Each structure stands twice: as structure tokens, then as C-alpha cells.
Amino acid sequence: MPMANELFNWLYRDLEDQASAILEPASFNYYRSGATKERTLARSRDSWAKYDFIPRIPVERKMVSSRSQFCTVDLAAPIYVAPMAFQSLLNSGAESKFALAANLVNVPYCLSSRTTTPINEVAEVAADPVEQKRLFGQLSGFHKYMLEHFWEKDKASPNSSKLFFQVYFMAEQEVTFQLAQEAKSSGFSLLFLTVDTPVLGMRLSDLKMGFVPPEGYADKLYDRLVAQGRQSSFNSSGEVPFQPKSRDNALNQDPAIGLGATKLLKDRVDLPVATKGVISQADLAIAIAHGAEGVVVSNHGGRQLDDTIVTANTLWGLWDNFDPFRVSVDGGISNGADVVKALCMGAGSVGIGRNAAWAFASGGAPGVAAYLIEVRIEIEYAMTLLGAGSVSELDRSYITPRMMP
Ligand SMILES: Cc1cc2nc3c(=O)[nH]c(=O)nc-3n(C[C@H](O)[C@H](O)[C@H](O)COP(=O)(O)O)c2cc1C
């Protein structure tokens, strides 16, 4: 049986403080920071705690299942790791080890276009049975015991997804299409097209600290395309040579990109697309009309327009009557109870960003695996104590905005 001192070793540590003690200050700040006065960032942090549960007592209790779906893909649990750029800043294992840890727990990992690791390498390491076995061996007895419990349950979702790929439309679209194609051929099952970054939010603290992003995989791909383009113009193969704009310009996000870009992407890469960064419910129908399967309700972790409404209040106050499997949400989620509140508000799944990153920074792959196991445990606890047997049973009748301070 698990030892009491091994329980919830990660979920209730101050992971952000631990990461700040370990990371180089400008790297830590890049992960921590938000736009301008960071008011949306600050509000996001405790926004989910401002909703209270209203447990129900079912006539008969059933075994809880937290299986879910997002767009066309099955989820063994209603969570995934949100896309975050430049993970070599967090831990030397970078994107490969982060994805390995999430996948061990049957939690999908969304790889950012700003990955520092080649896309196929991330897919290979994440699915490597030797790496998985080694990582399992590094977990505590409690986490092993609980993970085996989840593996047994997850046999009911044999087709659950493991890898998503986030797309930024670069000003040089060929780079974008190549990245997304590589993701498809490496087995990624869903694209997140980020639509909330026509310009990068004003992260003043990063500017003050002189943060310079590391070289990403897109830079290397760009160089390769340039070299191939040069060759093709000499070898008269008939191919149109790649004619890049300036390097910096080519790798910046295209400011013209909006919901209509979904079709452009789908015409080139045959994978389902979710548009990430939607706030108004009116944009859900427009996104779907342009070919998206669903949307991620997100304010980009408070990193774009400061004073944008936090996503808990967005779902509670502005959204109603939508298909949960078309709507996911992220922003300020730190534990399983937060996840269940988002499901009660109608989302079918939830992205976890910084908190997973802090676990990865301070504990590497075993840290993030243990953290995600604990989140999964807490989701099942909260559902059991709420009296709901499945994600589809959760609705607004189980929560209320806090009535008294
Ligand atoms: C350091 C950092 C890098 C990010 N990079 C990306 C990215 O490359 N693409 C993207 O769509 N979102 C990116 N995001 C936004 C996250 O995907 C997600 O929307 C947000 O972090 C969720 O909030 P949380 O961190 O409070 O969980 C990034 C967020 C952080 C903190």
C-alpha cells in the first residue's frame, strides 16, 4: 500500500516557487509573465477558486469515469498539457521528456510550433517503451500504484490521443505547412491553430529583463528550406524555389491570421483543427463554419490583451448551450477540482499550462508525471464526491459563484 508521506507530493507544493529557485531568472520570468500590468494573469490564478461546488447525492453511486473527447479525438482523462514555447528553458529533457511524462499518464501533450526539439524526435521519445519503463521506475510507490489503476481504467479508451500540435501561422506560410505536415507524419492527431496572436502581447517584464528566446526547431527548418530553395533554383528541377522574406520576418506570426486560416491549413494538412484563443461564444459558430472542429477558450494565459476576462468567468457568464466536445478551456488551472469546475461549466476538456511547466522544471519527467497523476486522482475524487459518474453528467447545477467571501 502507498505510504502516507508519498501522497500528493506535487499537487500542493508551491511549484512556481520551486521553479523560480531553479531556473535562470529571465527564463523563469518568460514562463511566469503576462501582458502589461499582468492583471488578467493575477486574476486567473484564483479565478476557479471563486466557484463553489454543490454536491448531489445520487440514488445509487456508480464507478466514476472521467473519459472525454475533444473535437474528433478521444481522451482517457479530460486534460492535456497546453502548448508552451521553448521548453529547453525549463529542463534539459525539453519537449521530448515533457511529452513522455504526459503520455505515460495517458494525458495528451500539445507541442508548440516554437518547439526546441524536432517534431519526430518528440513523438519517438514519447512512445518509446524503454523510456517509458525507465520513467515508471523513477516514480514513487504511490504514483506507480495509482498509475497502474489508471492504465487499467484507460483500457476502456484504447484509441485515446497522445499528441497534439499547435500551429502558429508564420509570415512564411511554407514553414507553417512543413511543421504541421511533420506533425501529421509523426502521428499527431489534432492541430491547435492559435488565433489570438496577431501581435505578441506586451510582456513588459520580459523586455525589462532582456529576454532573448532560444533558437527553435522552426529556425532550423527555415534554414533547410532556404538551402533547398537555393539548390532547386540551380538544378532547373522545375520546382519553384523557396524565396524567403527576411529570416526574422519569416518566422514571426502573420498578423493577418484569423478564424479563416483554418481552411488554408486544412487544405494543406489533413488533420482536424481546433482554433485556440477564442473568448466570445459568437466565434465558435464562425470557427466551425470555417472548418474548425472546435475551439479552445483561452486568453493565452494572460499574455496577450491585459484585462481580458478570465476564462472561468467567460464560460460561466458568457457561454451557454454548446457542445462540450467542441469546447476546451485553459487558464489558471492548477488542480483536479479546477478541472471539474470547468467541466461543470460545459467544457469537455481542459489545458494545463504553467503548473505542469513548473512541475517539469523542478522535477523533470518524473515530477510532471507525478503531478499529472495527482491531477487525475483529484478529478476522480471531486466527481465521486459531487455525485457525478461521468463527464457528461456534470453541469452547472453542481457549482455556483461564491456567495459569501
Ligand atoms: C511560457 C509560455 C509559452 C506559451 N507558448 C504558447 C505557444 O507557443 N502557443 C500557444 O498557442 N500558446 C502558448 N502559450 C499559452 C498556453 O498554451 C495556455 O493558453 C496558457 O498558458 C494557459 O494558462 P496557464 O498557464 O495559466 O495554465 C504559452 C504560455 C506560456 C506560459
Side-chain angles (χ1 to χ4, degrees), residues 150-325:
F150 286 125
W151 284 345
E152 198 50 42
K153 276 194 132 175
D154 295 347
K155 285 183 182 158
S157 352
N159 300 321
S160 66
S161 287
K162 294 288 185 78
L163 292 170
F164 305 154
F165 184 74
Q166 178 268 330
V167 175
Y168 276 131
F169 250 94
M170 316 282 187
E172 188 46 74
Q173 294 194 348
E174 202 47 39
V175 176
T176 304
F177 295 137
Q178 293 267 348
L179 288 168
Q181 275 294 354
E182 282 189 32
K184 180 178 159 71
S185 48
S186 304
F188 287 63
S189 57
L190 177 65
L191 300 178
F192 280 22
L193 172 59
T194 301
V195 289
D196 60 5
T197 47
V199 289
L200 214 59
M202 281 195 208
R203 298 170 204 157
L204 300 179
S205 60
D206 286 335
L207 293 173
K208 272 188 205 147
M209 295 187 83
F211 173 74
V212 181
E215 196 183 63
Y217 175 63
D219 296 83
K220 296 196 178 83
L221 179 67
Y222 173 85
D223 291 340
R224 203 164 74 212
L225 287 172
V226 171
Q228 284 167 357
R230 286 213 188 95
Q231 276 168 22
S232 66
S233 60
F234 288 121
N235 66 14
S236 65
S237 64
E239 291 167 37
V240 181
F242 179 67
Q243 288 165 333
K245 307 170 180 85
S246 84
R247 182 196 180 84
D248 276 356
N249 202 7
L251 291 171
N252 280 335
Q253 278 112 261
D254 182 346
I257 290 307
L259 293 173
T262 309
K263 194 173 170 329
L264 273 181
L265 183 59
K266 287 185 81 164
D267 284 349
R268 288 290 297 269
V269 186
D270 184 22
L271 277 178
V273 175
T275 44
K276 175 173 180 284
V278 162
I279 294 291
S280 164
Q281 188 171 355
D283 289 342
L284 171 63
I286 302 171
I288 289 171
H290 282 88
E293 302 289 342
V295 299
V296 182
V297 175
S298 172
N299 56 35
H300 213 107
R303 292 160 80 81
Q304 287 301 100
L305 180 60
D306 202 14
D307 286 334
T308 295
I309 182 170
V310 297
T311 51
N313 297 350
T314 306
L315 284 186
W316 181 262
L318 304 181
W319 286 57
D320 204 2
N321 274 327
F322 52 88
D323 176 352
F325 297 152

